[in-house]
Amino acid sequence: MDIELQIKQAVILAIREFYNHEANEKSIQIQETRKDFEGDFTLVVFPFLKISKKPLEATANELGDYLQKNITNVVDFNVIKGFLNLSISKTYWLDFLNKNYGKENYGIVAENKNPEKVMVEFSSPNTNKPLHLGHIRNILLGDSVSRILAANGKKVYKVNLVNDRGIHICKSMLAWQKWGNGNTPKNTGEKGDKLVGDYYIRFDREYKKQVEELVASGTDEKLAKDKAPLLIEAREMLLKWEAGDEGIRQLWSTMNGWVYAGFDVSYKKMGITFDKIYYESDTYKLGKKLVLDGLEKSALIKKDDGSVWADLSKQGLDEKILLRADGTSVYMTQDVGTAHQRFSEFDIDKHIYVVGNEQNYHFQVLKLVLKKLGFEWAEAIYHLSYGMVELPSGKMKSREGTVVDADDLVDEMLHAAREISKEQGKLENFSEVEVEKILETISLGALKFFILKVDPKKSMTFIPEDSIDFNGNTGPFVQYSYARIQSVFRKANEKNVVIPKKLSPDCEFNTKELQLLKTNYAFGDIVKEAGENLSPALIANYVYELAREYNQFYHELPILVEEKKDKRELRLFLSEMTGRTIKSAMRLLGIDVPPAM
RNA sequence: GGUCCAGUAGCUCAGUUGGAUAGAGCAACAGCCUUCUAAGCUGUAGGUCCCAGGUUCGAAUCCUGGCUGGAUCACCA
């Protein structure tokens, strides 16, 4: 049984016996002992003083005594202030090692027989411009969260909802019609999403020019923005699209096709896949029927002009429109529809939306509307909200060209990895194919780790130089530690050192070995907790700690030199455990594992 | 103005849900390559945890009030 649980139960018994009192679980706090003190686990004694009616020292000693006598694995204790530090026997830790040694995926739960089904929606790009750094944060979070959920035994569906319709697409289409000269990705060699994005920018430029001209000729600015000829044309195009105009539809699907080809390249570069891709052009009419049903049940209200609203004033919000006066639907209506469709189609138990925090209000409302409509799964939707990615120079603005393009960024990371490796002569003994593979692994690992280590809900600053740095709290450092561990085994093998299947019971630890062991011990809990909090950052920061412990440890303790046999075996054991834990953690983050360099 | 989120070292970030003397990396300084990979390790320096109250054995963490920054408050998606 888990030692922490064992201690907890013993404490309950002790309190019942000594003080004739039923302690509630929550008052019993057991934590890992801080490094500077002796012991493995610490019981906080303060909460029991009122019950024991005895001085601090006496209470702590009494409890410590009881635990030592009643739990075989508690071999010693000491009391410092209100903290009871318990030392756990070496046998317990050895058992832990021996038990988990054979597990290839230590800390990861296999898929249950009857798993909870979770859908994760992420990426969700518009088809009028290429992916940028903001999308990268979204994509990496979505991918990583999916992996963490899967590692907790859930069945995960990764889905993408492409926003392929609307006025913004029409702007790109119109600009291409006017100034495109028949350019295609094929005849220009340009990536499709970039090509289309260029025309979106072109539209904006020409549109601004028109607005300026109108203002110069005396038109009110607000009016000018609304009445610029280009915008009117784009609106007309959208109407035609909605009416199913064949020519427009043709152009639309051609240009979107270019964009998808471009996106595929970007996703592939990042190693991202989806189980299903939804298109808004297929789903934008969904939800209308559900809203009308809700109206019938009087869950919603109809105004004089015929528009339909949800009244959320009781929940502290205002009213939200769901159907316009002309009966057409809005974004919210659509989301109600797609959610309903997904819950019935996939029979999912939970739906996670990875969407930026600018939509916090939207998802708050969505949940309330679903509840109003009477769907019992309304509580099962979760908005994984994340903050913006800013640059040292400030915010990214796509129209002002200050965005960091996703492909460019990945390429730059690769370039930096190449330069640094060349400079240090790290990859001299590898073939060209191997070198390319390693560089890709490292540069992508650096990017992913840099993004994921930050708490999702916080906005973050992306510093290009720091992201490319391979020292310190970075992906390459974690990969490096793993590679070193692999190297230990390779060298051991060369020297015919056999790694035993089981450690002998008289194997001794020193403090550093114990530290590393305890860090490994925590991994399973971290995975579980990260799943509950939907936080890859937790894993990232943890695995960095582990890699650091490892590096400090092995720096001082050569393994393969002459020393007592069981000591050597213990270290090989620890290496392998640590290696597996690091590898598992990297996989949860979506970071590739490098070979032993 | 209403609502939500954030504020921790010069910079970028952790801080295990209220515990012991608040931690890393970067940048600065001083060291460590015949040992397994120096993409590393050791040390020095660096803190009003935004401010003020409150809750209690105990607060970076919880509550209240302020300050600063961000998001949002569309018949856009």
Side-chain angles (χ1 to χ4, degrees):
Chain A
M1 183 167 58
D2 185 359
I3 189 80
E4 289 178 62
L5 195 64
Q6 218 174 328
I7 295 170
K8 215 171 210 175
Q9 290 177 352
V11 171
I12 293 178
L13 289 177
I15 287 175
R16 192 180 296 159
E17 187 171 319
F18 292 157
Y19 316 129
N20 193 22
H21 185 274
E22 287 304 314
N24 66 334
E25 286 254 349
K26 232 193 152 189
S27 67
I28 302 169
Q29 299 172 55
I30 292 161
Q31 52 199 261
E32 274 180 49
T33 305
R34 286 181 74 112
K35 281 176 207 171
D36 344 304
F37 300 98
E38 198 182 322
D40 299 311
F41 293 102
T42 296
L43 176 73
V44 185
V45 186
F46 291 110
F48 311 130
L49 295 184
K50 275 185 194 153
I51 308 163
S52 76
K53 300 196 176 81
K54 284 182 190 174
L56 196 90
E57 286 271 318
T59 311
N61 280 309
E62 201 165 41
L63 289 172
D65 215 39
Y66 182 91
L67 293 174
Q68 191 180 344
K69 277 192 187 128
N70 289 279
I71 303 175
T72 9
N73 282 322
V74 175
V75 291
D76 199 8
F77 71 92
N78 66 81
V79 178
I80 297 171
K81 293 196 211 166
F83 299 95
L84 173 60
N85 300 322
L86 304 164
S87 296
I88 306 302
S89 72
K90 313 281 184 202
T91 347
Y92 177 82
W93 293 113
L94 267 181
D95 272 359
F96 163 73
L97 260 193
N98 285 330
K99 224 180 280 164
N100 293 296
Y101 177 72
K103 293 183 188 163
E104 178 59 34
N105 285 315
Y106 166 62
I108 293 183
V109 181
E111 192 177 300
N112 304 328
K113 276 192 207 108
N114 199 359
E116 194 182 352
K117 292 178 217 139
V118 186
M119 182 169 285
V120 183
E121 179 194 292
F122 63 103
S123 186
S124 309
N126 290 355
T127 55
N128 64 331
K129 56 189 175 223
L131 302 176
H132 59 70
L133 185 48
H135 292 113
I136 289 187
R137 191 175 194 189
N138 180 308
I139 290 167
L140 296 183
L141 276 171
D143 183 56
S144 188
V145 158
S146 302
R147 289 163 188 266
I148 294 169
L149 290 169
N152 280 300
K154 324 262 191 220
K155 168 78 187 154
V156 178
Y157 302 100
K158 294 185 285 180
V159 304
N160 187 355
L161 176 62
V162 180
N163 178 9
D164 61 346
R165 60 168 281 280
I167 189 81
H168 48 281
I169 318 298
C170 292
K171 290 177 182 175
S172 292
M173 284 158 62
L174 192 62
W176 185 84
Q177 270 186 339
K178 286 184 182 300
W179 305 291
N181 297 321
N183 281 346
T184 67
K186 216 173 209 172
N187 66 26
T188 59
E190 204 180 352
K191 208 162 154 277
D193 50 335
K194 302 241 151 73
L195 186 92
V196 172
D198 287 347
Y199 289 102
Y200 183 71
I201 292 168
R202 179 70 185 267
F203 175 94
D204 198 59
R205 214 170 57 210
E206 302 290 343
Y207 164 71
K208 273 194 180 134
K209 234 188 269 172
Q210 287 188 346
V211 171
E212 267 170 42
E213 278 164 20
L214 282 170
V215 171
S217 64
T219 317
D220 173 67
E221 193 181 330
K222 220 172 174 180
L223 192 72
K225 276 185 178 164
D226 198 47
K227 296 289 176 218
L230 268 173
L231 188 63
I232 290 172
E233 257 188 280
R235 282 196 191 123
E236 279 167 5
M237 197 181 238
L238 182 60
L239 286 177
K240 277 189 187 166
W241 181 91
E242 283 180 353
D245 180 288
E246 213 166 292
I248 299 293
R249 286 283 180 148
Q250 187 61 47
L251 178 63
W252 170 77
S253 91
T254 304
M255 286 181 73
N256 273 345
W258 298 345
V259 174
Y260 298 143
F263 283 169
D264 283 346
V265 172
S266 302
Y267 287 138
K268 203 172 175 192
K269 244 187 214 177
M270 287 186 266
I272 305 297
T273 58
F274 296 98
D275 298 310
K276 177 156 186 170
I277 296 180
Y278 290 93
Y279 299 93
E280 281 197 13
S281 53
D282 296 330
T283 63
Y284 78 107
K285 285 178 179 162
L286 288 175
K288 190 171 169 177
K289 191 181 170 298
L290 299 174
V291 168
L292 291 176
D293 288 350
L295 189 62
E296 207 156 295
K297 283 186 285 178
S298 307
L300 306 171
I301 50 178
K302 193 171 199 168
K303 296 214 167 167
D304 294 340
D305 65 355
S307 56
V308 181
W309 298 70
D311 179 11
L312 303 172
S313 50
K314 271 187 196 151
Q315 284 83 7
L317 303 172
D318 45 16
E319 296 181 331
K320 181 77 196 174
I321 191 160
L322 293 171
L323 289 178
R324 297 184 183 103
D326 63 6
T328 55
S329 51
V330 295
Y331 177 42
M332 186 63 71
T333 323
Q334 190 187 133
D335 261 5
V336 168
T338 48
H340 180 265
Q341 188 195 44
R342 288 175 188 180
F343 271 88
S344 46
E345 185 185 350
F346 284 88
D347 189 30
I348 50 176
D349 302 296
K350 197 167 184 181
H351 192 337
I352 292 159
Y353 296 86
V354 184
V355 178
N357 63 8
E358 69 271 13
Q359 293 196 35
N360 284 355
Y361 180 73
H362 172 79
F363 280 99
Q364 201 185 345
V365 171
L366 177 63
K367 193 177 252 191
L368 290 174
V369 169
L370 289 173
K371 239 188 256 182
K372 254 191 186 313
L373 292 174
F375 297 117
E376 69 277 13
W377 43 263
E379 280 298 332
I381 67 167
Y382 180 89
H383 175 205
L384 176 55
S385 164
Y386 63 91
M388 301 183 71
V389 184
E390 286 165 25
L391 298 172
S393 54
K395 279 186 200 164
M396 297 193 292
K397 297 245 169 78
S398 51
R399 285 184 193 152
E400 288 166 26
T402 54
V403 285
V404 175
D405 179 83
D407 297 316
D408 292 352
L409 182 60
V410 172
D411 291 344
E412 267 170 49
M413 299 291 287
L414 190 65
H415 176 74
R418 194 184 305 278
E419 290 298 307
I420 294 169
S421 302
K422 204 187 280 172
E423 202 177 294
Q424 307 201 350
K426 287 273 178 194
L427 300 173
E428 278 161 7
N429 300 321
F430 289 91
S431 74
E432 214 170 295
V433 180
E434 285 169 326
V435 167
E436 290 309 309
K437 180 70 196 148
I438 292 170
L439 289 179
E440 193 193 304
T441 301
I442 295 173
S443 58
L444 213 50
L447 177 61
K448 289 182 176 179
F449 194 91
F450 189 84
I451 300 279
L452 290 174
K453 74 178 175 187
V454 181
D455 185 347
K457 71 169 179 272
K458 288 188 179 178
S459 58
M460 66 178 290
T461 307
F462 185 86
I463 304 174
E465 307 92 76
D466 284 8
S467 67
I468 288 165
D469 196 347
F470 289 177
N471 300 309
N473 190 356
T474 64
F477 174 79
V478 175
Q479 290 171 321
Y480 166 78
S481 306
Y482 176 75
R484 281 183 81 168
I485 291 167
Q486 293 310 102
S487 170
V488 168
F489 294 116
R490 197 184 53 205
K491 295 246 159 77
N493 196 37
E494 282 165 11
K495 296 193 180 180
N496 291 319
V497 176
V498 180
I499 303 165
K501 291 240 159 55
K502 209 170 159 105
L503 281 181
S504 61
D506 51 350
C507 200
E508 281 292 318
F509 308 118
N510 62 31
T511 34
K512 291 216 166 181
E513 287 159 344
L514 196 56
Q515 189 57 45
L516 196 60
L517 185 49
K518 284 198 261 181
T519 315
N520 273 298
Y521 172 80
F523 181 61
D525 290 341
I526 297 276
V527 173
K528 210 172 155 207
E529 202 181 325
E532 278 165 13
N533 295 330
L534 298 172
S535 174
L538 206 61
I539 304 259
N541 286 294
Y542 163 79
V543 74
Y544 168 65
E545 282 300 317
L546 181 60
R548 231 166 56 85
E549 300 275 4
Y550 168 83
N551 275 319
Q552 285 170 5
F553 180 53
Y554 280 105
H555 180 256
E556 292 172 29
L557 299 168
I559 285 188
L560 299 171
V561 291
E562 291 305 313
E563 60 177 311
K564 267 172 62 188
K565 188 163 169 275
D566 60 340
K567 204 76 185 160
R568 190 173 61 196
E569 288 176 354
L570 171 64
R571 286 173 188 167
L572 282 168
F573 248 77
L574 273 174
S575 282
E576 190 156 31
M577 278 301 293
T578 306
R580 282 181 185 163
T581 310
I582 289 180
K583 190 162 133 191
S584 300
M586 279 196 283
R587 290 202 169 138
L588 294 179
L589 299 174
I591 294 175
D592 284 331
V593 177
M597 286 181 261

